[in-house]
């Protein structure tokens, strides 16, 4: 810490005043003692006898000059008092510096930190203040990010609701004004209005699901799940829909039985979203494979693989963001709002796992890594988990 000229003068004056006061005190003590001794010859004799009887060391040195000892003791005492007063004043100055810095930060200079180094505990105080300011800034930024993300959510939802709603109102308006030429037209308009209403309902459902799984403290109701059986059920329930799109869904038979502890309903939602996507976006492909493997004693990996068009590399690390849709998907009549993968990811994370995606010219694979037993946690070994492993063979 750098002292200002004024503070140096303050310290100097403190020293001078203390020395003067101590000298006066010493002088008055000496005068008082002399006065007492001169008026009291008995006391003088007593001190003389004591002095003669005190011998120091093997050579029997005697103390003849008690005044010197007394003066030396007084000097040591004075030096200690001066030191103590100066240190006390210095600490006051340090404190004043810290308070000034705090005022400066409190006045809105939140990027400012106390950068001087002090001794002992005061330095700990400085470090704690800096850490406190850091954590305040962090929470302000988090708050801002949450606020921003809420605004974004509202904007996206309003946009995605307004588009089909405008269509519905338009077609219903045509019907109400009898602006149709045939019954065929009428049926076409009502069908479009119906489809758009379904699209709106699906968005509202997804949104409801998304906010539900995003809430802190979302509870899972765990069941013991036979993974092979679950995959067979999924194949059965998606068979018809997949066939309509010329796709065949198959589940890989696992030699050893694989059981996991998970929320069956929520996990079902994850696979519904992934398989529905594989059908929706796997245009031109022929297969959807469901595959389950046990990675080690703690982790099960369940994959949804399809051989449709490749997801562009630049989209892979954004694909799980809410409302994100790969360029072009929004315009296609696939009806999604970009929430399906965000919901799937949140559910898997609630279970302590993670999802990753890889996509190349041959296959697109969504792999769910999930702990086999509840309360376990799996960490993604790759920090950049969503990078495509181009050209990897399945
Ligand atoms: P939505 O389906 O509502 O658009 P999702 O979050 O489920 O939202 O998917 C986000 C985007 O990821 C989709 O718009 C689509 O472009 C892409 N996508 C998801 N799954 C696949 C897949 N199996 N193959 C190709 N693209 C996919």
């Amino acid at each position: 810490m750098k002292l200002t000229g004024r503070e140096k003068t303050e310290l100097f004056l403190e020293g001078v005043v203390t020395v003067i006061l101590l000298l006066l005190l010493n002088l008055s003590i000496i005068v008082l003692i002399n006065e007492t001794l001169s008026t009291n010859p008995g006391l003088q004799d007593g001190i003389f006898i004591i002095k003669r009887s005190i011998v120091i060391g093997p050579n029997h040195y005697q103390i003849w000059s008690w005044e010197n000892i007394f003066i030396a003791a007084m000097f040591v005492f004075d030096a200690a008092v001066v030191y103590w007063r100066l240190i006390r004043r210095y600490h006051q100055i340090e404190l004043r510096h810290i308070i000034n810095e705090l005022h400066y930060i409190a006045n809105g200079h939140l990027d400012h930190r106390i950068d001087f180094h002090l001794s002992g505990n005061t330095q700990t105080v400085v470090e704690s203040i800096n850490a406190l300011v850091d954590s305040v800034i962090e929470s302000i930024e988090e708050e801002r990010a949450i606020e921003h993300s809420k605004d974004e959510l509202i904007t996206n939802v309003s946009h995605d609701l307004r588009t089909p709603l405008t269509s519905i109102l338009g077609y219903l308006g045509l019907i109400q004004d009898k602006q149709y030429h045939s019954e065929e037209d009428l049926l076409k308009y009502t069908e479009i209005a119906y489809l758009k209403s379904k699209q709106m309902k699906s968005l509202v459902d997804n949104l409801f699901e998304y906010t539900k799984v995003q809430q802190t403290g979302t509870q899972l109701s765990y069941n013991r799940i036979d993974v092979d059986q679950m995959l067979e059920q999924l194949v059965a329930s998606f068979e018809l829909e997949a066939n309509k799109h010329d796709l065949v869904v198959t589940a890989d038979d696992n030699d050893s039985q694989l059981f996991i502890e998970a929320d069956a309903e929520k996990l079902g939602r994850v696979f519904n979203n992934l398989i529905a996507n594989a059908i929706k976006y796997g245009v031109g492909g022929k297969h959807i494979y469901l595959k389950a493997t046990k990675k080690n004693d703690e982790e099960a990996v369940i994959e949804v693989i399809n051989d449709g068009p490749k997801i562009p590399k630049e989209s892979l690390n954004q694909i799980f963001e809410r409302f994100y849709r790969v360029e072009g998907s929004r315009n296609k009549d696939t009806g999604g709002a970009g929430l399906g993968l965000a919901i799937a990811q949140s559910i898997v994370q609630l279970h302590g796992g993670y999802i990753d995606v890889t996509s190349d010219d041959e296959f697109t694979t969504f792999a769910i890594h999930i702990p086999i037993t509840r309360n376990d946690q799996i960490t993604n070994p790759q920090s950049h988990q969503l990078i495509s492993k181009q050209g990897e063979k399945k």
Side-chain angles (χ1 to χ4, degrees):
M1 187 187 73
K2 252 191 151 176
L3 294 183
T4 61
R6 215 172 132 236
E7 285 161 348
K8 282 180 191 159
T9 318
E10 192 180 326
L11 271 179
F12 176 72
L13 288 179
E14 176 84 22
V16 170
V17 170
T18 313
V19 169
I20 293 171
L21 286 174
L22 284 169
L23 283 178
L24 286 174
L25 184 73
N26 295 347
L27 206 68
S28 44
I29 290 172
I30 291 169
V31 169
L32 214 74
I33 291 174
N34 275 340
E35 192 70 21
T36 316
L37 288 179
S38 60
T39 55
N40 205 335
L43 188 63
Q44 229 171 32
D45 292 345
I47 290 173
F48 183 72
I49 293 163
I50 292 169
K51 268 165 55 177
R52 286 203 60 186
S53 61
I54 296 174
V55 286
I56 300 170
N59 298 329
H60 299 273
Y61 288 121
Q62 287 193 326
I63 305 167
W64 284 111
S65 173
W66 70 272
E67 291 89 352
N68 288 349
I69 291 174
F70 182 73
I71 287 169
M74 275 208 305
F75 183 77
V76 171
F77 173 78
D78 291 354
V81 171
V82 171
Y83 176 76
W84 170 70
R85 297 260 305 173
L86 286 180
I87 282 289
R88 213 186 54 150
R89 177 64 63 165
Y90 183 75
H91 283 324
Q92 278 174 359
I93 294 172
E94 278 182 343
L95 218 60
R96 224 183 296 148
H97 274 247
I98 294 174
I99 290 168
N100 288 343
E101 294 275 326
L102 275 175
H103 277 300
Y104 185 71
I105 294 170
N107 281 338
H109 303 97
L110 291 176
D111 49 352
H112 180 76
R113 297 289 176 279
I114 305 177
D115 58 0
F116 44 74
H117 283 273
L118 308 173
S119 52
N121 284 341
T122 332
Q123 181 57 26
T124 321
V125 173
V126 168
E127 279 162 14
S128 308
I129 290 172
N130 282 342
L132 188 75
V133 178
D134 280 344
S135 73
V136 167
I137 304 264
E138 213 171 281
S139 37
I140 290 176
E141 272 163 12
E142 257 170 40
E143 203 69 40
R144 275 191 200 142
I146 292 171
E147 205 57 42
H148 177 73
S149 121
K150 273 187 191 157
D151 290 347
E152 207 180 53
L153 184 81
I154 292 169
T155 314
N156 282 324
V157 172
S158 328
H159 174 270
D160 283 359
L161 283 176
R162 204 176 50 182
T163 317
L165 196 60
T166 313
S167 255
I168 294 167
L169 285 173
Y171 283 105
L172 290 181
L174 287 177
I175 295 170
Q176 198 191 24
D177 299 342
K178 303 213 167 22
Q179 285 186 23
Y180 51 87
H181 305 295
S182 59
E183 196 176 321
E184 205 179 309
D185 278 353
L186 178 67
L187 281 174
K188 197 173 112 192
Y189 295 168
T190 40
E191 193 187 340
I192 296 173
Y194 176 64
L195 283 177
K196 295 287 169 191
S197 314
K198 268 186 24 183
Q199 201 176 318
M200 274 177 69
K201 181 171 182 310
S202 148
L203 169 66
V204 174
D205 286 347
N206 274 334
L207 199 66
F208 180 67
E209 188 73 31
Y210 176 72
T211 45
K212 229 168 59 179
V213 290
Q214 282 290 308
Q215 271 164 16
T216 38
T218 305
Q219 293 296 320
L220 296 176
S221 65
Y222 280 93
N223 321 92
R224 191 170 141 82
I225 299 172
D226 179 337
V227 176
D228 290 338
Q229 206 180 326
M230 178 184 77
L231 295 188
E232 290 301 337
Q233 280 170 5
L234 284 167
V235 169
S237 58
F238 277 97
E239 212 163 27
L240 215 66
E241 182 66 20
N243 289 347
K244 275 195 217 161
H245 292 80
D246 294 327
L247 287 162
V248 180
V249 194
T250 43
D252 235 6
D253 272 56
N254 209 330
D255 299 338
S256 58
Q257 273 205 314
L258 178 57
F259 287 93
I260 55 169
E261 281 178 18
D263 185 320
E265 197 195 319
K266 291 209 165 50
L267 205 60
R269 176 75 199 221
V270 173
F271 289 108
N272 273 330
N273 288 0
L274 294 182
I275 300 169
N277 276 353
I279 296 175
K280 265 197 294 184
Y281 303 111
V283 187
K286 290 265 166 282
H287 295 282
I288 296 172
Y289 305 102
L290 308 181
K291 221 165 118 181
T293 40
K294 193 173 172 182
K295 198 170 169 192
N296 45 44
D297 281 348
E298 285 109 44
E299 182 178 342
V301 183
I302 309 169
E303 292 171 309
V304 177
I305 307 165
N306 75 297
D307 54 358
K310 169 182 164 184
I311 300 174
K313 199 177 172 196
E314 61 279 8
S315 295
L316 284 176
N317 55 354
Q318 295 176 70
I319 209 164
F320 293 98
E321 285 171 18
R322 66 185 190 197
F323 296 112
Y324 180 82
R325 305 194 75 200
V326 175
E327 196 51 41
S329 301
R330 197 168 281 283
N331 304 329
K332 285 183 200 151
D333 206 16
T334 43
L339 284 171
L341 290 179
I343 293 171
Q345 192 187 45
S346 298
I347 293 176
V348 176
Q349 282 172 350
L350 277 176
H351 283 84
Y354 64 91
I355 307 187
D356 60 27
V357 55
T358 58
S359 191
D360 56 36
D361 292 331
E362 240 179 313
F363 297 109
T364 292
T365 303
F366 286 88
I368 290 150
H369 300 252
I370 197 159
I372 287 177
T373 47
R374 60 195 291 185
N375 301 329
D376 267 357
Q377 184 90 26
I378 300 170
T379 40
N380 190 344
Q382 292 167 301
S383 50
H384 43 284
Q385 65 181 65
L386 306 175
I387 302 280
S388 164
K389 293 178 204 156
Q390 298 288 324
E392 190 184 77
K393 276 267 175 194
K394 304 281 171 328

